[in-house]
Amino acid sequence: GCDGGSSSNNNGGGTSGTVSDAYVKGANVWIDKNDNDVWDNDELNTTTNEYGQFTFNKAISGEIKAVGGIDTATGDVVTDTFV
């Protein structure tokens, strides 16, 4: 496991944030509407860029979670779920 987390900003027109454990690129980020810690096909999702950043192009409600990706500091695959 690794320490890390995610942060977000909901400015009314969209939501953006960063998944960090260093930076995590290629992580799946989703709005976990049913709070089951698993991305379901009906939940809005996106992927982080090389700086761990993500954007949803509309305002969202619900908990943002992220899983997977590559730790850019170590090159290791990340298997943890970030909340």
Side-chain angles (χ1 to χ4, degrees):
C2 49
D3 296 327
S6 63
S7 63
S8 64
N9 178 30
N10 189 341
N11 62 18
T15 301
S16 61
T18 303
V19 176
S20 62
D21 176 37
Y23 293 125
V24 178
K25 69 177 179 179
N28 183 39
V29 181
W30 76 99
I31 310 308
D32 196 5
K33 295 188 305 187
N34 59 0
D35 200 29
N36 67 349
D37 293 334
V38 175
W39 174 68
D40 300 305
N41 287 335
D42 65 334
E43 295 173 329
L44 184 64
N45 77 308
T46 190
T47 304
T48 58
N49 66 16
E50 65 270 20
Y51 302 108
Q53 300 166 332
F54 63 90
T55 300
F56 292 106
N57 292 325
K58 63 180 188 174
I60 56 94
S61 64
E63 190 161 20
I64 297 173
K65 298 189 180 168
V67 67
I70 304 294
D71 183 318
T72 59
T74 65
D76 292 340
V77 173
V78 176
T79 58
D80 294 334
T81 298
F82 298 98
V83 178

